[in-house]
Amino acid sequence: AMDTSDRLCSAIAEKVSVLQYGGNLKAGENKECCLLTPRERSPVCGIHTLNNMSRAVNNADPDEARRCADLALKMLEYRFRKSPNHEPQGLTAADIAIVTPYRHQNAEIRYALGPLGKDILTGTAHALQGQSKLVTIISTATPRGRALENSDGWLCNWNLWNVAISRASAVTLILADIETLEGSQIRKASALESRIRLVGFLKETLTIEEWAF
């Protein structure tokens, strides 16, 4: 079993370890990689979003897509340092990835990014396998009602969550409508168990102000 990841900083490795590796995963050579921000901010954050899914028959949330684009732009203002022994460097758009379970949401994200989208990798967790970025932004475009009941793919597949969260060496941000997830009526046992784990993870990492702009 994997016990060391040279890609992840310590904070992200700790979350991924609990999520997928039974607490046995440790950070390797990138363990002190960090963004240099004006004040200390958590490298792993769940960001609660009140989604506007009334017209989202295709699981797309334009407001959340725009927020992803805003976050990506904000990241470009920062510098990062691989370790205390390395000189700070500036971030580029190529250092950022935005992940979503739904292709229609991916289209909304690319539209919101505009010209910046040519350099920022966007797509599903499958598209990120084998990739490594400094910053990963995850847009869940949380569906409502029956759509959520039937949305087993990303709720149940913890391997995909592991891929999405563990692509970043410095910061992972997760946008989700936590209240909708927590209050949803899910009948399928495997989906219900995964929903409970997901909500617990998001609440544990929830931020109100740290990455809100």
Side-chain angles (χ1 to χ4, degrees), residues 80-102:
F80 78 96
R81 186 167 57 203
K82 187 172 183 180
S83 78
N85 298 323
H86 285 78
E87 289 295 319
Q89 301 177 54
L91 265 75
T92 69
D95 293 318
I96 301 171
I98 303 179
V99 192
T100 181
Y102 307 115

Side-chain angles (χ1 to χ4, degrees), residues 31 35 68 85 112 171 205:
K31 63 182 179 181
L35 286 192
C68 287
N85 298 323
V171 171
T205 61

Side-chain angles (χ1 to χ4, degrees), residues 163-183:
V163 170
I165 294 170
S166 66
R167 295 307 93 186
S169 56
V171 171
T172 294
L173 305 177
I174 308 166
L175 282 72
D177 185 342
I178 301 172
E179 291 179 0
T180 294
L181 279 173
E182 188 170 31

Side-chain angles (χ1 to χ4, degrees), residues 81-182:
R81 186 167 57 203
K82 187 172 183 180
S83 78
N85 298 323
H86 285 78
E87 289 295 319
Q89 301 177 54
L91 265 75
T92 69
D95 293 318
I96 301 171
I98 303 179
V99 192
T100 181
Y102 307 115
R103 61 187 180 88
H104 289 94
Q105 180 66 357
N106 185 55
E108 291 285 355
I109 290 168
R110 296 201 64 79
Y111 178 78
L113 286 170
L116 199 61
K118 65 183 177 62
D119 295 316
I120 292 180
L121 176 65
T122 69
T124 66
H126 292 292
L128 262 72
Q129 287 187 321
Q131 300 276 348
S132 179
K133 299 292 182 180
L134 281 166
V135 175
T136 299
I137 302 168
I138 303 172
S139 172
T140 62
T142 313
R144 293 181 182 274
R146 189 172 299 279
L148 181 56
E149 292 179 35
N150 297 329
S151 182
D152 293 347
W154 64 272
L155 277 173
C156 294
N157 195 329
W158 285 99
N159 288 327
L160 289 182
W161 271 102
N162 175 50
V163 170
I165 294 170
S166 66
R167 295 307 93 186
S169 56
V171 171
T172 294
L173 305 177
I174 308 166
L175 282 72
D177 185 342
I178 301 172
E179 291 179 0
T180 294
L181 279 173
E182 188 170 31

Side-chain angles (χ1 to χ4, degrees), residues 183-201:
S184 59
Q185 299 296 317
I186 298 179
R187 298 179 179 87
K188 190 174 179 180
S190 58
L192 179 60
E193 180 183 356
S194 293
R195 189 276 307 274
I196 292 171
R197 290 177 63 187
L198 174 60
V199 168
F201 177 80

